[in-house]
C-alpha cells in the first residue's frame, strides 16, 4: 500500500478533511464517495418508483378489458415509467459508479470539480421532483410517451412547462456530471496512468460523457420548441405555419439514439471489468475494446432516423439509415466476442457479479439481434410500434441498465462497506431476476409479431395468454428486487469482513483493490506509486 | 496528469444546493405563470433571491481561494477544460436550432408546397390546394406556411441594424482581446478601459437588438408567431441575445474583480473563461448574420 | 371463473416456456400481398442468420463456463490478444450484414413504388377513428370502433370481453377494396400523429397532420383483415382499429353502387325538416360515436383536457357560436364540417343543446347547416 505511507505527504490545510457531522453531511458534501453513494441510493429509489409504474402497466395488461386505470392514466404511467427509469434510475446509477470508482481507478484524490459534482446531483433530485409533481396536477402527468411527440404532447393541459423545465434540469445535471468526468479523466490521472492503461470502465465513461454533452443540449432545444409551440405561438411542429411534426422526431432521436448507447456503454465497461476478474485472466483485446467503444459512439450519432422508418422519409434517407444502423453490429460483435475470448481457457467461478454479467451478455445479444431485425426498414414496417420493439428495448435497456449495475454493486459492495454481502441471497436475486426478466419480455416478442401495438391499455383476445405470462414475470422480476435491497442493507450493517483484495486475484485487476476495505474518506491524496500502476494495468496476470 | 504536490480538494459547500433550490423554484414559478396561475410569481421571486445569494457567495469563496493562491496549475487546467466543454454543449444547443431552420427551410416547406418526393409527394394537392390561405402556396423563404400563420409580415433585412450589430460585436471581440493583452502585460489602466469598452459594446448591441425587435413587432408584423420564419428568427436571435446578456453580466463581474485588484498576469482564468464565452457568442452571431439574416 | 382458467393456462404456458400451440400466434403473419410475403421472407432470413450466430456465440459461452470452471481448469491461460482473430471476427459480421442488407434494399425500393396505382384511397386519422375517402369516386366515410366493443371496454362495464366478437378489432364501417387491384393509400391526419397498420398487408405508415405519406397494397385474397392504429394518439389510441374488407371486383362494384345510393338518400334527407325528437335520437347516436370519445358519454368531459358540454357556456349560449365551433373546430378539437353530414351535424348540435340538463330548447335543422357550409366555402 505504497500510497498510504507516501513520504510526499504535504497536506494542504485549506483542505477538506473528514465528513461533516450529522445529516447535513449529505447535502454539503463535495466528496466523490459521498456523492457516488447519493447517486446510487437515488437511483435505487427511482428504480422502485419507475418499477411500480411498470407494475401498474402490467397489472392493467394482466387480462383484456379495463380493470384498474383510466386509459389516459395508463399512458401517463407508460410515459413516466420510461422517463423515471431512464433518467432517474439507470443513468444516475452509472454516474454513481463513475463517482465512486473513477478517482480510485485512476489514482486521483477526488473528482476534478467537486462543488459542481455536488450541484449536479442536487439538480437531478430537484428535476425528479419537478417531473413527479406532474402526477398530482390537474390534467395529469405527461401521457404522450417518453418520446413526447407533438402534436399529442402539446395537447396536454398543465404539465408541459413542468416536463420541459424538468428535462432542462436533467440536461444540466448530466452535462455538469459529464464535464466533471471528462475533466477528471483527462486531467487527474496519477503519473504513469496513461490513457491506454486506464480500466475499460473509465474509457467507456470518457466516451459516454462526450456523447452526453453532444446529445443532451439537442434534447433541451427540442423540448424548448415544444414549449414555445404550445404556449408562445411558434410553428416549429405545425404544418400550417411551415413547420413539421417530424422535425421534432429528428431532433428527439438525434438525442435519443445516442442516449441508449449512453446507457449501455458504461454497462459494457462494467462487464469488461468484472468478466476478467472471475475468469482470472486479463481482458482479451483491450485495444480493440477501446476502439470498438469509440466506433459505437461515433456510429450512434449518425443512425437516429431508424426510429422513424415509417414516417415516409425519402427513399435515399431510408436506405442510408438502414446501412448506418447495421454497421453498429460490427463493433458490438467485437465486444461480445472479446468477452467470450476472455473467458476462454480462464479459470471461471460464478459469484453473483459474474452471474449478472453473464446474464447481461446472454440477454443483450438477443436484444442486439432483434435490434438488427428492426434495422431492416421493410421489416420494421411490421415491427414498428408493436410489442416487438418493447421486447427489443427491454432486452437491451433493462438488461443493459440494471444487470451490470447489480453486478457492479455486488462486485464493489465488499470494498465499499468492508463486509461481504450474503452470497446466497444475492444468487437468489440473480436467478429470480433472470427468470422473471425472460418470462416478462420473451413473450412480448411474440405479441408484437402477432400484431399487438405498444402503448395500449387494453387488447384483443388473442393476445391474452402471453400478456398474462408477461405480467406474472414482471411481478417476479419486480419483487425479487426487494431481495437486492435487503442484501444491501444487510451488507452495510455488517457481516463477514472483506479483505482488501476481496476477490481472488483481484489485486491484478485494478488500483482500487489495493485500498483498504472500506477505503478511507479520502484516497490518493498523494499519487500512487507508478510501479503499482504498472503492476495492476499490465496485461500479464500472474497466478500462482 | 497530476504530477506535482497534491491537488486542491475544496472544502464542503452549501451554495450549490442553494443555487439549485433557487433555480428549481424559479422554473416551477415560471411554469405556473405559463399555466396562468399567479402564485408562480412568489416562487419566481423567492427563487431568484436564492440564486443571487447562492451564486454571489459561491463566486466569492471561489475568488478568495483563487486569490490566496490555492489553485495550482492543475486546478487551472481543470477549469479550462470545464469551460471548453461547457461551450461545446452550448454549440450543440444552437446547432439544434440551426438544424430546425435548415430542416424546415430546405425540406418541410418545399414538401408542403408539393415539391420533391417523400412525405410531400401529394401534400399540396391533397391537403392545401383546397385551403383558401394556401391556394397559390409555393416554396419560398421567408414564409409563414400554407396557413399563413400570424398574418402578413416582412423579412428582416440584413443590411442596416443587423450589419451594424455585426460590426459592434466584432469590435467587442477585438476590445476584449486588447483587454487580455493589457492584463498579461500588467497594464491595469488600459485593462479597465478596454473592459469598459467591451461592456459598452455589449450593451449597445442589446439596445440595437431591442430596437430591432420593437420595430419587427410594431411595424413589420414579424412576431414569434409569424409562422416558421418568425419562430426560427426569434428563437435563434433571442437565445443569442440571452447569451449576450449573460456574457455582458459576466464581463461586469470580471470588471468588478479587476477594480478589487484581482487577477495577475499569470493567474486569471476567470477572465479568460469569460473571454472565451464572449468569442463564442461572437461566432454564433456571425453564423446568424449569414444564415438567418442574409441567406 | 374464466379469469381463473386463464390464469392457470397462463401459468402452465409460462412453465413450459415458449409452447407452440395452434391458438397462439408466435410469428409474423405471412399476409396476403406480395409485399407482405417478401417482408416475411426477409424477417425469416434475418431470424435464421441470428439464430445461427447465436448458436455459435452462446455455444462458446456455455462451453467456457463449463469447461473452464475453476474446479476443472484451475490455471488460467494468459493470452489476451490476437490481431488476426480480432480482424477476422470484425470482417465476418460485416459480410453477413451485406447478405441481409441486399434483400432489404430491394424490398424497401418496392415498398416505395406507389406509381401506377389502379385506385387511390385517402386515409385520415382522427382522435380516435379513421376516415376513408375514395378519391376517384368523390365520397368518403368515417370508421369507428363498434358500439359493442366500445361498451365492453369501459371500466367496470360488467361485460366480459371474451364474449364480444372481435373485441376491439371491429368497426362500424370497414374500408372496402377490390381484390387484385393496386391500391395507393395516402395517409394524413386531422389532429395528432396516427399510424395505419394492417399486418396482413405487410406494413404500417404514419399519418402526419399537414402532410401526406403514401404506401400501397395489392391484395390477392378475398377476406377481412384487421389491424390497429400504431402510433400513440391519446387516451383512446388502443381503441381505433382498422378493418379492411377485401371483396371480389364484382362485389366491390355493387357495394360501391349501394353506398352511393345511400349517400344520395342521406343528401335528400338533409333537405327536409326534422322534428326535435328525430334529431335527438339521431343526435345521441352521433354524439356517442363522434363526440363522446372526448366529451364523455355523460357530457362532463375530462377536467383539464376536454371541456364539459353539460352547462357549457357555448352549448347553452349563442347558437351561431356553437355551430361555428363544431364546423370549424377550435384548439385541439378539429372541425367536423367535412367528416359529418349536415344531418349528423344538426343532430349532434341539437342533442348537445338539449341533453345533459342543457335544455335550451333550440333545434338546428340540416338545411341551416347546409347554408353554413356554403357560406364557409365547403
Ligand atoms: C441500451 C439500449 C439499446 C441498445 C444497445 C440498442 C441496440 C440496437 N438497437 Fe435499439 N432501441 C432501444 C434501445 C437500445 N437499442 C430503445 C429504447 C428503442 C425504442 C425507443 C422507443 O421507441 O421508445 C430502440 C429501438 C430500436 C429501433 C427502432 C424500432 C422501431 O421503433 O421501429 C431500431 C431500428 O433499427 C433499433 C436498432 C438497434 C440496433 C441495430 C442495435 C445494435 O446496437 C445492436 C448490436 C448488437 C448485436 C447485433 C448483437 C451482438 C452481435 C453479435 C453477436 C455479432 C454478430 C451479429 C451479426 C452480424 C448479426 N432499436
Ligand atoms: C432503463 C429503462 C427501463 C427499465 C429498467 C424498465 C423496466 C421495466 N419495464 Fe419498461 N420501458 C422503458 C424503459 C425501461 N423499462 C421505456 C423507455 C419504455 C417505453 C415507454 C414509451 O412507450 O413511451 C418502456 C415501456 C414499458 C412497457 C410498455 C408500455 C406500453 O407500451 O404501454 C412495459 C409493459 O410491459 C414495460 C414493463 C417494464 C417492466 C415490467 C420492467 C421491470 O424491469 C421493472 C422491474 C420492477 C421493479 C424494479 C419494481 C420493484 C417494485 C416493487 C417490488 C413494488 C414495491 C414498491 C415499493 C416498495 C415502492 N415497460
Ligand atoms: Cu390513432 Cu393511435
Ligand atoms: Cu436507436
Amino acid at each position: 500500500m505504497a500510497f498510504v505511507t507516501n513520504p510526499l505527504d504535504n497536506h494542504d490545510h485549506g483542505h477538506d478533511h473528514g465528513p461533516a457531522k450529522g445529516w447535513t453531511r449529505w447535502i454539503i458534501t463535495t466528496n466523490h464517495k459521498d456523492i457516488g453513494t447519493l447517486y446510487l441510493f437515488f437511483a435505487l429509489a427511482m428504480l422502485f418508483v419507475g418499477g411500480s409504474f411498470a407494475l401498474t402497466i402490467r397489472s392493467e395488461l394482466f387480462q383484456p378489458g379495463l380493470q384498474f386505470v383510466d386509459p389516459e392514466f395508463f399512458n401517463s404511467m407508460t410515459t413516466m415509467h420510461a422517463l423515471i427509469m431512464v433518467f432517474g434510475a439507470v443513468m444516475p446509477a452509472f454516474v454513481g459508479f463513475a463517482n465512486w470508482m473513477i478517482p480510485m481507478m485512476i489514482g486521483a484524490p477526488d473528482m476534478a470539480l467537486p462543488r459542481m459534482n455536488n450541484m449536479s446531483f442536487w439538480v437531478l433530485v430537484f428535476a425528479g421532483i419537478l417531473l413527479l409533481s406532474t402526477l398530482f396536477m390537474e390534467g395529469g402527468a405527461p401521457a404522450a410517451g417518453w418520446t413526447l411527440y407533438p402534436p399529442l404532447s402539446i395537447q396536454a393541459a398543465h404539465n408541459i412547462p413542468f416536463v420541459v423545465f424538468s428535462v432542462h434540469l436533467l440536461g444540466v445535471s448530466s452535462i455538469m456530471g459529464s464535464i466533471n468526468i471528462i475533466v477528471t479523466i483527462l486531467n487527474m490521472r496519477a503519473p504513469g496512468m496513461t490513457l491506454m492503461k486506464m480500466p475499460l470502465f473509465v474509457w467507456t465513461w470518457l466516451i459516454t460523457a462526450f456523447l452526453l454533452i453532444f446529445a443532451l443540449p439537442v434534447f433541451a432545444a427540442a423540448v424548448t420548441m415544444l414549449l414555445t409551440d404550445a404556449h408562445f405561438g411558434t410553428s416549429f411542429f405545425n404544418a400550417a405555419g411551415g413547420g413539421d411534426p417530424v422535425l421534432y422526431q429528428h431532433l428527439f432521436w438525434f438525442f435519443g439514439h445516442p442516449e441508449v448507447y449512453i446507457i449501455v456503454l458504461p454497462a459494457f465497461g462494467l462487464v469488461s471489468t468484472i468478466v476478467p476478474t472471475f475468469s482470472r485472466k486479463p481482458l482479451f483485446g483491450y485495444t480493440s475494446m477501446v476502439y470498438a467503444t469509440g466506433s459505437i459512439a461515433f456510429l450512434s450519432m449518425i443512425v437516429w432516423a431508424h426510429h422513424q422508418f415509417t414516417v415516409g422519409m425519402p427513399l435515399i434517407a431510408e436506405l442510408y439509415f438502414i446501412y448506418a444502423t447495421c454497421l453498429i453490429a460490427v463493433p458490438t460483435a467485437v465486444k461480445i466476442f472479446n468477452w467470450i475470448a476472455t473467458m476462454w481457457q480462464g479459470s471461471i467461478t460464478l459469484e453473483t457479479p459474474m452471474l449478472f454479467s453473464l446474464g447481461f451478455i446472454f440477454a443483450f445479444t438477443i436484444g442486439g439481434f432483434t435490434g438488427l431485425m428492426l434495422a431492416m426498414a421493410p421489416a420494421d414496417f411490421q415491427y414498428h410500434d408493436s410489442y416487438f420493439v418493447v421486447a427489443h428495448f427491454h432486452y437491451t435497456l433493462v438488461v443493459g441498465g440494471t444487470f451490470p449495475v447489480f453486478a457492479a454493486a455486488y462486485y464493489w459492495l465488499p470494498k465499499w462497506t468492508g463486509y461481504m454481502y450474503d452470497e446466497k441471497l444475492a444468487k437468489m436475486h440473480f436467478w429470480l431476476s433472470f427468470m422473471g426478466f425472460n418470462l416478462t419480455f420473451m413473450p412480448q416478442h411474440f405479441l408484437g409479431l402477432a400484431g399487438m401495438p405498444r402503448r395500449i391499455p387494453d387488447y384483443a383476445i388473442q393476445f391474452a395468454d402471453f400478456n398474462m405470462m408477461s405480467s406474472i414475470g414482471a411481478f417476479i422480476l419486480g419483487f425479487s428486487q426487494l431481495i437486492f435491497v435487503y442484501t444491501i442493507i444487510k451488507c452495510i450493517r455488517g457481516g463477514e469482513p472483506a479483505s482488501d483484495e476481496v476477490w481472488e486475484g483481484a489485486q491484478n485487476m485494478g488500483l482500487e483493490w489495493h485500498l483498504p476495505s472500506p477505503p478511507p474518506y479520502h484516497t490518493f491524496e498523494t499519487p500512487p506509486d507508478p510501479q503499482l500502476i504498472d503492476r495492476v494495468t499490465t496485461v500479464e496476470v500472474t497466478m500462482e | 496528469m497530476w504530477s506535482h504536490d497534491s491537488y486542491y480538494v475544496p472544502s464542503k459547500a452549501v451554495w450549490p444546493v442553494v443555487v439549485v433550490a433557487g433555480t428549481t423554484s424559479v422554473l416551477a414559478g415560471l411554469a405556473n405563470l405559463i399555466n396562468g396561475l399567479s402564485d408562480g410569481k412568489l416562487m419566481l421571486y423567492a427563487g431568484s433571491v436564492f440564486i443571487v445569494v447562492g451564486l454571489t457567495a459561491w463566486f466569492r469563496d471561489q475568488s478568495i481561494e483563487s486569490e490566496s493562491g490555492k489553485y495550482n496549475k492543475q486546478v487551472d487546467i481543470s477549469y479550462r477544460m470545464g469551460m471548453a466543454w461547457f461551450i461545446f454543449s452550448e454549440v450543440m444547443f444552437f446547432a439544434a436550432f440551426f438544424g430546425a431552420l435548415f430542416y424546415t427551410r430546405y425540406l418541410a416547406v418545399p414538401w408542403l408546397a408539393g415539391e420533391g418526393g417523400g412525405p410531400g409527394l401529394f401534400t399540396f394537392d391533397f391537403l392545401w390546394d383546397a385551403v383558401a390561405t394556401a391556394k397559390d402556396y409555393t416554396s419560398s423563404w421567408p414564409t409563414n406556411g400554407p396557413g399563413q400563420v400570424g398574418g402578413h409580415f416582412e423579412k428582416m433585412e440584413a443590411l442596416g441594424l443587423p450589419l451594424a450589430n455585426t460590426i459592434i460585436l466584432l469590435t467587442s471581440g477585438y476590445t476584449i482581446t486588447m483587454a487580455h493583452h493589457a492584463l498579461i502585460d500588467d497594464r491595469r489602466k488600459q485593462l479597465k478601459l478596454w473592459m469598459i469598452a467591451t461592456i459598452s459594446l455589449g450593451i449597445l448591441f442589446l439596445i440595437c437588438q431591442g430596437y430591432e425587435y420593437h420595430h419587427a413587432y410594431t411595424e413589420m408584423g414579424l412576431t414569434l408567431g409569424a409562422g416558421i420564419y418568425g419562430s426560427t428568427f426569434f428563437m435563434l436571435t433571442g437565445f443569442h441575445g440571452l447569451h449576450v446578456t449573460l456574457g455582458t453580466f459576466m464581463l461586469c463581474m470580471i470588471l468588478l474583480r479587476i477594480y478589487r485588484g484581482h487577477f495577475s498576469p499569470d493567474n486569471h482564468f476567470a477572465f479568460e473563461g469569460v473571454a472565451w464565452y464572449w468569442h463564442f457568442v461572437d461566432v454564433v452571431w456571425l453564423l446568424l448574420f449569414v444564415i438567418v439574416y442574409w441567406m | 371463473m374464466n379469469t381463473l382458467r386463464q390464469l392457470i393456462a397462463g401459468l402452465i404456458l409460462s412453465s413450459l416456456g415458449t409452447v407452440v400451440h395452434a391458438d397462439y400466434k408466435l410469428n409474423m403473419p405471412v399476409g396476403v400481398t406480395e409485399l407482405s410475403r417478401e417482408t416475411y421472407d426477409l424477417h425469416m432470413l434475418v431470424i435464421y442468420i441470428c439464430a445461427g450466430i447465436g448458436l455459435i456465440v452462446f455455444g462458446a459461452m456455455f462451453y467456457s463456463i463449463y469447461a473452464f470452471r475453476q474446479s476443472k481448469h484451475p490455471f488460467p491461460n494468459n493470452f489476451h490478444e490476437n490481431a488476426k482473430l480480432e480482424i477476422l471476427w470484425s470482417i465476418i459480421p460485416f459480410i453477413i450484414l451485406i447478405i441481409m442488407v441486399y434483400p432489404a434494399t430491394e424490398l424497401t425500393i418496392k415498398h416505395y413504388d406507389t406509381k401506377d396505382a389502379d385506385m387511390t384511397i385517402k386515409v385520415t386519422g382522427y382522435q380516435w377513428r379513421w376516415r376513408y375517402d375514395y378519391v376517384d369516386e368523390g365520397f368518403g366515410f368515417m370508421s369507428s370502433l363498434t358500439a359493442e366493443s366500445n361498451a365492453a371496454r369501459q371500466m367496470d362495464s360488467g361485460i366480459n370481453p371474451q364474449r364480444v366478437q372481435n373485441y376491439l378489432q371491429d368497426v362500424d364501417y370497414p374500408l372496402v377494396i377490390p381484390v387484385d387491384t393496386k391500391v395507393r393509400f395516402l395517409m394524413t391526419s386531422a389532429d395528432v400523429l396516427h399510424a395505419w397498420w394492417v399486418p396482413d398487408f405487410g406494413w404500417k405508415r404514419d399519418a402526419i397532420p399537414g402532410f401526406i405519406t403514401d404506401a400501397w397494397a395489392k391484395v390477392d385474397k378475398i377476406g377481412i383483415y384487421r389491424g390497429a392504429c400504431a402510433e400513440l394518439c391519446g387516451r383512446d389510441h388502443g381503441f381505433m382499429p382498422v378493418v379492411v374488407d377485401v371483396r371480389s371486383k364484382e362485389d366491390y362494384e355493387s357495394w360501391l353502387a349501394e353506398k352511393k345510393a345511400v349517400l344520395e338518400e342521406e343528401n335528400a334527407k338533409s333537405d327536409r325538416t326534422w322534428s326535435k325528437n328525430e334529431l335527438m335520437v339521431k343526435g345521441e347516436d352521433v354524439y356517442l360515436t363522434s363526440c363522446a370519445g372526448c366529451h364523455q358519454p355523460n357530457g362532463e368531459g375530462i377536467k383539464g383536457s376536454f371541456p364539459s358540454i353539460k352547462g357549457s357556456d357555448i352549448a347553452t349560449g349563442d347558437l351561431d357560436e356553437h355551430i361555428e365551433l363544431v364546423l370549424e373546430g377550435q384548439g385541439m378539437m378539429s372541425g367536423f364540417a367535412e367528416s359529418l353530414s349536415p344531418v349528423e351535424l344538426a343532430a349532434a348540435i341539437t342533442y348537445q343543446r338539449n341533453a345533459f340538463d342543457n335544455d335550451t330548447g333550440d333545434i338546428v335543422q340540416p338545411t341551416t347547416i347546409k347554408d353554413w357550409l356554403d357560406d364557409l366555402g365547403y
Side-chain angles (χ1 to χ4, degrees), chain A residues 253 257 260-261 303-304 306-307:
Chain A
W253 290 115
H257 187 81
V260 304
Y261 293 94
V303 301
W304 71 89
H306 65 215
H307 295 271

Side-chain angles (χ1 to χ4, degrees), chain B residues 238-290:
Chain B
F239 270 112
H240 175 263
L242 220 64
H243 281 72
V244 176
T245 314
L246 197 71
T248 310
F249 179 74
M250 295 196 299
L251 284 172
C252 292
M253 301 291 281
I254 295 295
L255 185 62
L256 205 74
R257 285 185 63 183
I258 291 173
Y259 271 101
R260 292 242 176 114
H262 289 188
F263 304 128
S264 66
D266 49 332
N267 180 13
H268 52 261
F269 167 71
F271 178 94
E272 277 182 80
V274 174
W276 290 354
Y277 191 77
W278 195 253
H279 286 307
F280 155 72
V281 170
D282 232 10
V283 172
V284 172
W285 175 262
L286 273 184
L287 289 176
L288 282 178
F289 182 67
V290 175

Side-chain angles (χ1 to χ4, degrees), chain A residues 481-504:
Chain A
Q481 304 319 314
L482 294 174
I483 305 177
F484 180 53
V485 175
Y486 177 73
T487 315
I488 293 175
I489 295 173
K490 200 171 156 200
C491 180
I492 292 175
R493 292 177 129 198
E496 187 195 324
S499 66
D500 293 354
E501 189 184 39
V502 182
W503 310 108
E504 188 193 15

Side-chain angles (χ1 to χ4, degrees), chain A residues 242-451:
Chain A
D244 184 351
V246 175
L247 166 61
Y248 175 85
Q249 303 183 11
H250 283 289
L251 292 169
F252 180 87
W253 290 115
F254 187 84
F255 146 80
H257 187 81
E259 170 66 30
V260 304
Y261 293 94
I262 285 165
I263 286 175
V264 91
L265 287 182
F268 287 166
L270 291 172
V271 171
S272 305
T273 308
I274 293 168
V275 168
T277 303
F278 296 96
S279 305
R280 293 171 181 75
K281 195 161 155 282
L283 181 67
F284 183 88
Y286 174 91
T287 320
S288 60
M289 284 299 224
V290 171
Y291 288 123
T293 312
S295 325
I296 292 175
F298 171 73
L299 289 170
S300 80
M301 300 174 190
I302 55 168
V303 301
W304 71 89
H306 65 215
H307 295 271
Q308 301 156 240
F309 279 142
T310 61
V311 300
M313 282 181 288
L315 179 60
I316 285 291
E318 199 94 348
L319 293 177
Y320 161 76
F321 283 108
I322 300 179
Y323 304 152
T325 303
C326 284
L327 279 182
I328 298 196
V330 176
T332 316
V334 169
K335 297 227 155 209
I336 308 256
F337 297 151
N338 281 359
W339 289 324
I340 291 171
T342 305
M343 289 160 59
W344 195 261
Q345 298 201 347
S347 180
I348 299 172
T349 49
L350 296 177
E351 283 90 345
T352 314
M354 183 68 167
L355 283 177
F356 270 111
S357 301
L358 293 175
F360 164 83
I361 298 175
F362 175 78
F364 180 82
T365 305
I366 295 179
F369 287 154
T370 53
L372 220 53
M373 294 168 72
L374 292 168
M376 303 292 130
D380 185 64
F381 292 163
Q382 288 278 34
Y383 309 134
H384 177 70
D385 267 344
S386 75
Y387 258 78
F388 191 79
V389 177
V390 177
H392 157 68
F393 67 66
H394 284 88
Y395 262 81
T396 49
L397 269 180
V398 175
V399 126
T402 62
F403 279 25
V405 166
F406 296 145
Y410 289 120
Y411 186 55
W412 283 312
L413 257 181
K415 170 58 57 189
W416 296 341
T417 61
Y419 303 113
M420 280 311 282
Y421 59 85
D422 187 331
E423 187 70 47
K424 253 210 195 101
L425 281 176
K427 284 221 166 88
M428 197 160 97
H429 174 214
F430 169 74
W431 285 111
L432 282 173
S433 293
F434 187 70
M435 291 184 330
F437 167 79
N438 284 299
L439 184 57
T440 313
F441 297 110
M442 185 53 80
Q444 294 186 355
H445 291 110
F446 309 129
L447 283 171
L449 293 177

